Amino acid sequence: MRVRVATTILGITAALLAVPACSADTIGTEPTTAPPARTGEPASDTTLLSSAALETRLLDESDLGSGYLRKPERAAQHDDVTVIGCPALNELGSDAAIGGSLSFPRRAKVSFTYGGSSSEVSEELYSGHQDSLSDGIDEIFEAMTGCPTYQVVSGGTAIDMSSQTLDPRRSLGDEQWSQLLTASTGGHSTVVKQTAIRAGSLLLIVSGSPALVDRHLDKALAKATATR
């Protein structure tokens, strides 16, 4: 199963190129090589949801509080994307240069900026069979964190990347993955935290400034899994 990573890579590179100074976000979580956490809790709802249904479960401004502005949908990117120094990630994303989301048909996404600054947070929701969701996101995280450092060339711009696996919070969902990515070019750096949670047939991915991801992860999962 091949899953696109263009959204992650292009989203990070776009954020980096738009930020004029180094990110001030910090996080105290220590990296670890622990495997995805399984909570041991009973399996969540296995009902498959349509993209339209997933849209209603995304966070909105009323959920986030004041200071958040929804970003318009970003146009599809068509720049060539090449990964240097990480064969597994390059192979995984070799067909992803045209952009796009993870290759699960039922999906929804929203992104916000905060306080008029460079801080951002985005949420992605996917619905699919549990094994497919687990295998797909596990393949991506394993590839992205399997190389501590690598380089991404996007649209002629070379970006140095580093990754760390983070210890997930084991009280959320059925499985969890979390990583910290740092993208650097031209003396500027952007730090992005990305946490994925599978709850039954739902896959939630929250990405962005580490502090914002930590602040809104619980409420994103609660809204995504609420009984309708």
Side-chain angles (χ1 to χ4, degrees):
M1 177 181 179
R2 187 168 290 230
V3 185
R4 293 185 175 186
V5 296
T7 296
T8 300
I9 291 178
L10 292 178
I12 292 171
T13 57
L16 173 61
L17 296 176
V19 175
C22 295
S23 170
D25 287 315
T26 59
I27 185 167
T29 308
E30 292 297 323
T32 177
T33 56
R38 294 179 182 269
T39 63
E41 297 295 325
S44 305
D45 187 7
T46 59
T47 303
L48 299 186
L49 300 175
S50 67
S51 296
L54 292 174
E55 287 277 357
T56 68
R57 298 182 179 224
L58 291 170
L59 294 174
D60 56 31
E61 290 90 340
S62 65
D63 300 312
L64 297 173
S66 62
Y68 289 87
L69 181 64
R70 183 166 182 160
K71 293 180 63 177
E73 191 82 16
R74 187 164 54 89
Q77 297 288 320
H78 298 283
D79 292 336
D80 289 335
V81 176
T82 303
V83 179
I84 301 172
C86 189
L89 185 55
N90 189 52
E91 179 181 354
L92 189 63
S94 61
D95 63 347
I98 61 172
S101 300
L102 308 190
S103 56
F104 303 119
R106 300 176 178 88
R107 58 182 181 261
K109 181 178 180 179
V110 66
S111 299
F112 301 90
T113 57
Y114 176 64
S117 69
S118 60
S119 296
E120 296 185 7
V121 63
S122 67
E123 179 189 7
E124 298 170 68
L125 273 180
Y126 300 90
S127 181
H129 296 292
Q130 297 181 31
D131 289 345
S132 295
L133 294 177
S134 295
D135 291 346
I137 195 64
D138 190 54
E139 185 179 12
I140 289 176
F141 270 75
E142 183 177 350
M144 295 189 74
T145 59
C147 303
T149 60
Y150 54 94
Q151 190 174 68
V152 173
V153 180
S154 174
T157 300
I159 300 172
D160 295 321
M161 304 290 300
S162 63
S163 64
Q164 295 178 329
T165 301
L166 299 177
D167 189 13
R169 294 165 55 187
R170 287 167 170 77
S171 60
L172 299 177
D174 300 313
E175 292 182 278
Q176 297 176 56
W177 300 257
S178 192
Q179 63 179 331
L180 196 68
L181 299 168
T182 302
S184 305
T185 189
H188 305 311
S189 296
T190 295
V191 178
V192 174
K193 184 175 183 180
Q194 186 173 60
T195 297
I197 299 173
R198 185 188 64 78
S201 60
L202 282 175
L203 176 66
L204 165 71
I205 304 175
V206 181
S207 308
S209 303
L212 298 185
V213 172
D214 292 342
R215 184 182 305 170
H216 299 298
L217 184 63
D218 289 44
K219 67 182 70 173
L221 181 63
K223 187 171 183 177
T225 58
T227 302
R228 303 296 169 118

